Amino acid sequence: MLIRHTQRKQAPVVMLQYIMSLAIVEAVTSLPGYDALPLRLKWPNDLYALHVPVSDSDDSSGSAPAFAKIGGILVNSSCARGEFTLLFGCGINVANRLPTTSINSVIRDYNDTHATRLATIPVERMLALATAKFEELYRTFLVYGFDPLLKAYYRRWLHSDQIVTLADRDYERAQVVGISATDGQLQVRSLQSPRTVYSLQPDGNSFDMLRGLISRKL
């Protein structure tokens, strides 16, 4: 997807990656009956879903359901005369159950568990839904900034109150408190010194979900 964005004080360009990832999740969960599907956001721009191991897969023996990555966002940008040109690359596993899971696998698992009959989503419809939802969120963002979208973002993300380890601060332990609505930085509060809040850049840090470890990208 190609977007031209004129920088505005209330609509900083760095937040567009968050809007895109939120749009993909909300495109599905805003459909009637799909709200409770376990689709989630990992800071800053990865998409996760609850993975129910397949009985005939090599690594499924004794495994419990857990969240697994099903997609991510990459953005290339350039700027000329105050206008940003952004090329979004969105990789989303819509239909393939392996190697982890997919949106349609999550729908089938939800149907099995809750005795519902939610329809799976063809790739073409997923593209249309995500594009339409992005346009809706983007219009709100241009006028009001990211603040009105924070509630929806937090509802879908994986990190509320998560305890993490900061590798670049002598492995200090901290608790996630949110993200900045103006620059997307992850806000974490030191457990050792609760008055201290660290701001972590989305482009400069790597978040290892399994280990709860945040470290600087090399």
Side-chain angles (χ1 to χ4, degrees):
M1 180 185 293
L2 183 67
I3 297 171
R4 300 189 187 279
H5 176 77
T6 300
Q7 182 77 327
R8 306 181 185 186
K9 183 178 180 180
Q10 78 278 12
V13 67
V14 69
M15 300 306 296
L16 290 180
Q17 63 178 327
Y18 298 93
I19 296 173
M20 180 62 75
S21 58
L22 178 60
I24 293 170
V25 172
E26 288 288 298
V28 177
T29 57
S30 63
L31 295 173
Y34 292 69
D35 179 71
L37 290 179
L39 301 176
R40 296 292 183 267
L41 301 167
K42 173 182 172 287
W43 181 84
N45 49 24
D46 285 334
L47 309 172
Y48 274 60
L50 192 64
H51 169 41
V52 178
V54 184
S55 60
D56 59 353
S57 65
D58 293 338
D59 61 351
S60 65
S61 178
S63 297
F67 281 96
K69 183 176 178 179
I70 62 166
I73 312 295
L74 288 175
V75 187
N76 288 323
S77 65
S78 60
C79 184
R81 296 183 292 278
E83 182 182 72
F84 287 88
T85 300
L86 301 104
L87 181 61
F88 285 85
C90 307
I92 314 163
N93 189 351
V94 176
N96 297 319
R97 188 171 189 106
L98 297 177
T100 56
T101 189
S102 67
I103 290 174
N104 284 337
S105 297
V106 169
I107 293 172
R108 294 188 188 97
D109 291 337
Y110 185 87
N111 285 337
D112 291 342
T113 303
H114 296 84
T116 52
R117 296 183 177 181
L118 301 179
T120 56
I121 302 174
V123 173
E124 295 82 1
R125 188 182 182 212
M126 184 66 225
L127 179 59
L129 289 170
T131 303
K133 181 58 67 172
F134 177 85
E135 182 177 0
E136 174 189 330
L137 299 180
Y138 182 61
R139 289 180 183 276
T140 298
F141 173 68
L142 287 177
V143 179
Y144 302 107
F146 197 78
D147 279 315
L149 307 180
L150 273 174
K151 183 178 180 180
Y153 188 86
Y154 288 148
R155 185 183 180 197
R156 300 299 179 189
W157 83 331
L158 289 166
H159 309 301
S160 295
D161 299 323
Q162 183 178 357
I163 303 300
V164 296
T165 300
L166 307 179
D168 296 320
R169 296 188 179 275
D170 295 326
Y171 292 88
E172 183 176 352
R173 302 275 282 169
Q175 185 176 41
V176 174
V177 296
I179 64 169
S180 166
T182 57
D183 56 20
Q185 293 190 51
L186 185 69
Q187 310 289 313
V188 300
R189 186 182 306 278
S190 170
L191 296 182
Q192 177 181 329
S193 179
R195 292 185 178 181
T196 301
V197 175
Y198 300 116
S199 297
L200 306 176
Q201 291 277 358
D203 293 333
N205 292 278
S206 176
F207 197 156
D208 186 329
M209 278 282 295
L210 292 178
R211 300 165 61 194
L213 181 68
I214 300 178
S215 57
R216 189 176 300 278
K217 291 180 180 178
L218 300 177

